[in-house]
Amino acid sequence: MSDTQTLNRDLTLEALFEAGLFIDTGTAGLHGRSGAFEAVVNGLEALITHPADGAEVMRFPPAMGRKHFAKSGYFKNFPHLSGCVHSFCGTEKDHAGVLKAMNNGEAWGEDFAPTEVVLTPAACYPLYPMTAARGPLPHDGALYDVQSFCFRHEPSQDPGRLQMFRQREYVRIGTAEQVLAFRALWLTRSQAMMQSLDLPHTVDVANDPFFGRAGKLMAASQREHELKFELLAPIASSDNPTACVSFNYHQQYFGLNWGIVTEDGAPAHTACVGFGLERTALALMRRHGLKPASWPVAVKDHLQL
Ligand code: AMP
Ligand code: ZN
């Protein structure tokens, strides 16, 4: 395929494997990434980073404790996306039984018991219990910079829908005014960033994929109150662009849930901006082609490629 043929062409997994940008592991939504792909991700991370904001940088492992997961409310709203780590806890006899099943290509796993570890569903989740444990917020509230692999059980052949992917987030905790100003700032900033990368995009009100019948009401309410916006750009389909960045206002949900309080003792408001790093890189690949080395010079300069 020539470079010009790949420009602005909707992406398929096959094309990404063929170009060597994604590496096939044989499992849906669980792909390796090449050096060229990671160079784009690194460039994006550098553009997202705003040291002058004075955010506290934190990196957590891509898993959280079972107790914190249970308390977070994630399972209430998104049971279908959750993933827990189970480990073998059987006897030697059980071990032999599992090996036999594995060798025969049969089902196995009944001897695996749940561990203390649950896969992180969103990069900001480990922050809330940690912030609560620190006591009341200072006058200026708190601002964090986090990045983590996240797990969501949504196996798919869509190149932009992964089971394990990275979110780079800035998270603001404080008063309603503080967190809404933060969200407005990032709505502007991220659009300017995409413009500098010559990435056509739209921003729209959105909702999370809440589970079940009650979830439909929650999604409608989330939209009505404009709690979630998404920056969308085409990846697999020009007609259905993919959310590459999310701008979430949680109101006092996490503040009340975790007991995070402002200086004067009121439940804190929280907001986060979450960049899907793989998705943003993929949107650029759809736009500029599957050879980052051949991208427009200005785009490469911005990404330090
Ligand atoms: P959310 O917490 O759902 O708002 O997700 C934040 C960002 O993570 C989204 O804007 C996407 O860019 C990215 N993201 C969410 N789900 C996936 C997925 N299954 N695969 C890849 N990226 C994802
Ligand atoms: Zn978040």
Side-chain angles (χ1 to χ4, degrees), residues 152 154 160-162 165 167 228 243-246 248 274 276 279:
R152 294 190 188 169
E154 41 185 355
R161 188 164 297 282
L162 309 174
F165 56 93
Q167 284 183 354
K228 187 179 190 85
C244 295
V245 193
S246 301
N248 303 304
R279 280 191 181 175

Side-chain angles (χ1 to χ4, degrees), residues 81 121-125 150 152 154 159-169 207-209 228-231 242-248 272-280 282:
L81 301 177
C124 61
Y125 269 53
C150 302
R152 294 190 188 169
E154 41 185 355
R161 188 164 297 282
L162 309 174
Q163 297 207 68
M164 297 210 83
F165 56 93
R166 281 162 292 180
Q167 284 183 354
R168 173 75 185 279
E169 289 200 34
N207 63 269
D208 287 310
K228 187 179 190 85
F229 288 94
E230 286 174 341
L231 184 151
T242 305
C244 295
V245 193
S246 301
F247 312 85
N248 303 304
C272 66
V273 50
F275 286 80
L277 293 176
E278 286 79 7
R279 280 191 181 175
T280 309
L282 289 167

